[in-house]
Amino acid sequence: MSVGRGGPIVTVDGPAGSGKSTTAREAARRLGFRHLDSGALYRALTLALLDSGTPPDAWPRLTREEIDALNVAVAPTPSGFDVRVAGRVPGPELRGDAVTAQVSQLSRLPAVRAALLGLQRSAGREGRLVADGRDMGTVVFPDAEVKVFLVADITERARRRLLERGVARPSDEQLRDEAAAIELRDRRDSTRSESPLRRPEGALVVDTTHLTVEEQVEVVVREVRRSGRS
Ligand code: DC
């Protein structure tokens, strides 16, 4: 798969709050590669469906044509890819509660995964890519030159997600609620039959519980350099 490509593909997979997107984005910047946040594609489809008023219990019956008609696309930018819905880059609602609550339900559907597979692979056509998600190293880019799997303690993951939403000093109750929500999403993402979240064979496993973002980025960049692929 690397033959004819302009450079390597690096995959960063892991559960919610493990630090994937932040790490992958910054590692890509340092390496001079593009970054692909595949979760944003699943979120964009979820947003498009919610906006269209299609009720979630009808989503399992969506056909490939109906999914394609939602017009979710990726457009290359100097540092990565813009995810667009009907030509528009979505705002903060992409990461809002409504989308977060429904995205796992959508992402387990085979027709959805099939529709997004081509988009993700097209983003990797020229190589020099750091792609993060749940199945980057297992399904989307199984021949990636470097694979990383991030894990972290559940309470730490909850703390990071709350911090992202501006809650710097969460109460024990907030932490407990957030951890429960993450666990539910993890369970859905790792027990689904299509492309479940799992460690890719040969991936470097990194526990980020006690690492700073800087240290996580350093691990990925070092692994790429060590592999002699940058
Ligand atoms: O990384 P995130 O929280 O933005 O991802 C949103 C959801 O999308 C997540 O619950 C699982 C799904 N997802 C997926 O199934 N496969 C991917 N490669 C990326 C995300």
Side-chain angles (χ1 to χ4, degrees):
M1 205 158 143
S2 59
V3 179
R5 257 191 350 222
I9 288 184
V10 180
T11 61
V12 181
D13 288 302
S18 57
K20 295 181 307 289
S21 293
T22 318
T23 305
R25 182 174 299 105
E26 179 58 18
R29 196 187 64 76
R30 291 223 199 138
L31 291 161
F33 291 5
R34 280 207 168 92
H35 169 232
L36 175 71
D37 170 0
S38 64
L41 286 168
Y42 290 91
R43 287 176 177 275
L45 266 189
T46 306
L47 181 63
L49 282 164
L50 291 174
D51 283 353
S52 73
T54 315
D57 59 6
W59 296 357
R61 294 187 296 283
L62 287 169
T63 63
R64 174 67 187 268
E65 289 68 32
E66 286 167 328
I67 295 166
D68 288 345
L70 293 166
N71 201 359
V72 168
V74 288
T77 65
S79 62
F81 297 88
D82 274 345
V83 171
R84 302 220 172 119
V85 182
R88 191 178 77 80
V89 177
E93 68 273 23
L94 195 66
R95 302 192 186 279
D97 290 344
V99 169
T100 302
Q102 298 294 345
V103 62
S104 296
Q105 302 287 16
L106 184 81
S107 59
R108 63 187 174 83
L109 304 176
V112 165
R113 304 208 74 88
L116 294 184
L117 186 62
L119 279 185
Q120 295 169 89
R121 289 205 173 137
S122 71
R125 213 164 19 225
E126 292 172 16
R128 298 180 69 79
L129 180 77
V130 183
D132 78 76
R134 306 293 191 289
D135 62 343
M136 296 297 98
T138 51
V139 174
V140 179
F141 300 115
D143 299 330
E145 284 78 0
V146 177
K147 298 182 184 183
V148 178
F149 191 71
L150 300 183
V151 295
D153 172 84
I154 181 75
T155 310
E156 174 59 18
R157 292 196 280 133
R159 202 187 58 74
R160 290 177 189 168
R161 279 280 141 122
L162 286 165
L163 188 62
E164 269 171 25
R165 299 211 297 272
V167 186
R169 289 172 193 279
S171 65
D172 286 352
E173 194 186 346
Q174 281 176 309
L175 273 176
R176 246 194 332 266
D177 288 353
E178 186 63 25
I182 291 179
E183 268 179 330
L184 176 65
R185 201 142 69 91
D186 280 357
R187 201 158 45 242
R188 286 190 184 138
D189 293 343
S190 41
T191 56
R192 67 186 179 211
S193 55
E194 288 292 314
S195 303
L197 168 68
R198 60 180 174 78
R199 179 176 63 79
E201 211 170 299
L204 174 71
V205 179
V206 182
D207 184 341
T208 69
T209 308
H210 303 293
L211 297 185
T212 61
V213 171
E214 171 62 31
E215 288 166 334
Q216 289 164 210
V217 171
E218 192 48 44
V219 171
V220 176
V221 170
R222 208 183 316 126
E223 186 63 10
V224 177
R225 301 229 159 105
R226 197 187 61 77
S227 74
R229 307 285 190 164
S230 70

